[in-house]
Amino acid sequence: MTEFTPWMSLAGGVLIGLAATILMAFNGRIAGMTGIMSGVIPPLSADWAWRAAFLAGAVIAPMIYVALGGVVPFSAPISTMAMIVGGLIVGVGVSYGSGCTSGHGVCGIARFSPRSIVATIVFMLAAFATVFVIRHVIGG
Amino acid sequence: MNRNTSALVAGLVFGIGIAISGMANPAKVLNFFDIAGTFDPSLIFVMGGALVTAAIGYRIVFGARTKPVFEAKFNVPTSRTIDARLVGGSALFGLGWGIAGFCPGGAIPALGLGYADTFIFMGAMIGGMLIARFLNQLERRRTAAPA
C-alpha cells in the first residue's frame, strides 16, 4: 500500500505545470523528458546545453529537497529483470511515440494537440491493462 | 541570465514537483494503475494539477508574447498525424510503464534520490532509445535505397 496524498500530489503537479510554463516562456520549448533527453544522447544535438541544464536541474532538485529535510518515499516492488525489461520497452516506446507523460500527457494536452490526446489515452490504458494482467491474471 | 539558466530553473521546479508528487516512486505509480487492487488515486491529482497549470500558463505566455525570452521563436511540434507509430509507440510505452512503474519524467528526478533501481531503469531506457534510433536508421536506409 502507498498513502493517498492528494495535496502533495496536487502541489507537485502544479510545480510540473509551472516548470512547463517557464520553459515555454523563456526557451520556447515543450517540457517533455523524451524530447529533451534525446538531444543529449550521442550524437549530441547542436542545442544540447539547455537540455543538459534542464536535466541537471531535474536531478539536483530532489537532492536539495532531501538535504533540506524533505522526505521522498521510494520503493520499487519489482525484480531487477522487470526493471530492465520495462526500461527497454519504455525507451523504444517513447521514441516511436515521440513523447511520454510530460511531453504528451502534460504539455501536449495543455496545447490541445490531438496527437498528444491520443497518445496519452493509449499509454494510460496500456499501463492499466499491464498492471491488471501482471497483478491479477499472472500473479492472481 | 541566459537560456541555460532558465532551463536549469525550469528543471529544478520540475524535479521538486516530481519528487513531492510521488511520480518518482514506482510503488505509488503501480498502485495508481492497480484499480482492482491497492489503488492509490494520487496521480490523478498530479496529472490534473500539471495539466491545468500548464494550460493556463501556456495561454498567458502565448497571449503576452510573440516569441520566448531567449529564442527567436516558439519551437512546438506542429504534426497532427495520428499514425501507427504514435499509437504503437505509446502502447509500448504504457506496457513498459506498467511493468517498471517509471516513466522518463519520473525516473530522471528519481536519479537524485540515489537508488540503484533507478540507474538500472535509466540504463535500460537509454538502451531502448538507442535501439529505436538504430531501427529508424535501418528503415530510412531501406526506403532511401534505389529500387
Side-chain angles (χ1 to χ4, degrees):
Chain A
M1 291 293 286
T2 48
E3 193 192 343
F4 177 48
T5 55
W7 295 111
M8 280 302 258
S9 289
L10 185 64
V14 169
L15 288 178
I16 295 165
L18 184 64
T21 305
I22 294 170
L23 198 66
M24 187 58 76
F26 288 86
N27 297 66
R29 290 288 185 156
I30 295 289
M33 272 300 179
T34 300
I36 292 175
M37 258 192 81
S38 67
V40 297
I41 296 173
L44 293 180
S45 65
D47 65 343
W48 63 272
W50 73 265
R51 299 164 183 272
F54 181 88
L55 294 169
V59 174
I60 296 165
M63 292 174 151
I64 298 172
Y65 182 73
V66 170
L68 294 177
V71 177
V72 183
F74 183 95
S75 159
I78 60 163
S79 68
T80 301
M81 186 45 76
M83 215 34 131
I84 294 171
V85 171
L88 274 171
I89 297 174
V90 167
V92 173
V94 294
S95 301
Y96 275 94
S98 306
C100 53
T101 327
S102 47
H104 281 312
V106 177
C107 299
I109 297 187
R111 297 188 305 119
F112 306 103
S113 154
R115 266 171 69 81
S116 293
I117 293 168
V118 169
T120 305
I121 291 171
V122 171
F123 64 64
M124 295 299 284
L125 288 178
F128 277 114
T130 302
V131 171
F132 182 80
V133 169
I134 290 174
R135 292 199 172 173
H136 303 287
V137 179
I138 301 171
Chain B
M1 182 130 162
N2 61 24
R3 60 170 66 88
N4 296 336
T5 327
S6 58
L8 177 70
V9 171
L12 286 166
V13 175
F14 186 93
I16 296 281
I18 290 287
I20 68 169
S21 72
M23 292 288 289
N25 184 0
K28 197 170 181 73
V29 173
L30 292 173
N31 281 342
F32 171 70
F33 288 123
D34 192 7
I35 290 187
T38 51
F39 183 49
D40 175 350
S42 304
L43 296 202
I44 271 289
F45 291 79
V46 185
M47 290 287 282
L51 195 47
V52 170
T53 307
I56 296 170
Y58 282 175
R59 218 186 149 80
I60 294 171
V61 170
F62 294 142
R65 303 191 58 92
T66 52
K67 68 183 198 62
V69 177
F70 296 127
E71 303 289 345
K73 62 180 180 59
F74 290 110
N75 199 328
V76 296
T78 50
S79 169
R80 297 177 76 85
T81 321
I82 292 162
D83 53 11
R85 278 179 90 81
L86 178 78
V87 174
S90 298
L92 270 183
F93 165 42
L95 171 66
W97 196 13
I99 292 172
F102 267 138
C103 58
I108 288 165
L111 288 173
L113 301 173
Y115 296 99
D117 278 314
T118 317
F119 289 85
I120 293 167
F121 174 86
M122 283 296 298
M125 186 182 99
I126 291 169
M129 292 172 88
L130 291 171
I131 291 170
R133 199 178 272 189
F134 175 71
L135 292 176
N136 273 324
Q137 275 166 4
L138 280 187
E139 197 183 317
R140 257 200 304 274
R141 206 166 302 159
R142 208 174 45 223
T143 48

